[in-house]
Amino acid sequence: MTSTSARTESNLPRREREARGMTDYWDVRSADYDATHEVADRGTWRRVLGELVGDDRELRILDVATGTGLIANLLAEQGYSHVTGVDLSEGMMSHARRYAAEHGLTVDYRVGNALELPFPDASFDVVISSRLLWTLTEPDAAVREWARVLVPGGSLIAINELEPGEGIRLSPLDDYRAKARVDELPFANADIDDILAALTSAGLLGARMQHLPGCHLVKRDRENWFAFVAKKAAVHP
């Protein structure tokens, strides 16, 4: 970034400035991301995701911060016919689109910020994410936004690697913060109770955490993947 563009960016609202920084960072990372984050058993992941989402293949599902499309494409492979992926990084989504095209999958990939989703209220039956929580600059605002686009009675599913009994533990993060040009990452070292409280504070019901057995990456054999699950209140006549 030139000194002129840096000065211009510094005058932007914080959310827009950080969105630009994260877009630049993940566009660069897109070149080798899948090589270091390949899942060990796609069949196991498909089965676990199906159990989390439910049997109805007509559900409208939004994968927030879809990246290279792992979750969105796995769901499409399971036969879910209305899957949308949204991400700031076109570079990451170029890999998602390529995989979908090569495997005959139908997924609607769109550019958008997890904090300001480009969808009307009550657009989706399920909002899901993977490895997004730790990157959030405004986690409470993000959860409220995800709840906004859920239909009444819809499900929120947020998947992340955890230290069991503790929470997300990622440090040091100085290099990422500098390259992505973000100020704070409140959930990069969040306790489990902090995350559950954010879901509850957004008005979601029944917030809980569950283990995802058998889920791990090729390069990591620890099965330390968990899902935070909650529902939006249903509307009763």
Side-chain angles (χ1 to χ4, degrees):
M1 183 186 302
T2 66
S3 59
T4 300
S5 60
R7 286 195 299 273
T8 301
E9 188 174 275
S10 68
N11 294 324
L12 294 173
R14 174 186 168 188
R15 184 175 290 182
E16 184 176 351
R17 170 173 53 82
E18 291 183 328
R20 289 190 181 193
M22 287 186 286
T23 300
D24 291 345
Y25 176 86
W26 291 109
D27 278 348
V28 171
R29 283 295 315 277
S30 67
D32 64 356
Y33 185 85
D34 279 344
T36 56
H37 293 81
E38 182 184 358
V39 297
D41 184 342
R42 293 183 72 91
T44 295
W45 279 85
R46 284 193 295 267
R47 175 182 55 78
V48 169
L49 288 172
E51 291 170 355
L52 286 169
V53 169
D55 295 331
D56 185 355
R57 267 33 182 187
E58 296 301 315
L59 289 169
R60 295 166 296 170
I61 305 171
L62 176 65
D63 180 23
V64 183
T66 189
T68 57
L70 171 65
I71 298 300
N73 286 330
L74 283 170
L75 289 169
E77 288 173 349
Q78 280 282 75
Y80 294 97
S81 55
H82 304 291
V83 181
T84 300
V86 64
D87 201 282
L88 283 168
S89 170
E90 282 279 20
M92 294 286 275
M93 284 193 295
S94 68
H95 296 273
R97 292 188 180 103
R98 184 182 308 117
Y99 183 95
E102 290 173 351
H103 292 80
L105 306 175
T106 300
V107 181
D108 181 12
Y109 286 108
R110 304 192 196 181
V111 175
N113 191 335
L115 300 174
E116 298 175 346
L117 294 170
F119 307 105
D121 296 353
S123 294
F124 297 95
D125 302 294
V126 178
V127 172
I128 192 168
S129 66
S130 176
R131 302 191 80 178
L132 170 60
L133 292 174
W134 75 269
T135 70
L136 293 171
T137 55
E138 303 173 57
D140 290 330
V143 176
R144 289 194 300 270
E145 179 69 351
W146 307 342
R148 178 186 68 77
V149 300
L150 274 175
V151 299
S155 299
L156 175 68
I157 304 165
I159 298 169
N160 215 98
E161 291 173 281
L162 295 176
E163 291 303 319
E166 297 182 31
I168 302 173
R169 294 292 182 264
L170 291 170
S171 59
L173 287 168
D174 292 343
D175 184 62
Y176 172 75
R177 287 177 58 225
K179 290 180 179 177
R181 306 195 295 279
V182 299
D183 294 335
E184 301 294 337
L185 298 166
F187 273 6
N189 285 283
D191 292 339
I192 292 167
D193 288 343
D194 296 334
I195 300 167
L196 293 173
L199 302 184
T200 302
S201 295
L204 297 168
L205 306 177
R208 60 186 173 83
M209 185 188 77
Q210 68 181 69
H211 183 230
L212 307 184
C215 292
H216 63 92
L217 304 182
V218 169
K219 294 183 178 294
R220 300 178 190 174
D221 59 5
R222 290 186 66 199
E223 295 183 8
N224 61 335
W225 290 79
F226 292 79
F228 292 91
V229 181
K231 282 190 172 289
K232 187 171 181 177
V235 174
H236 298 290

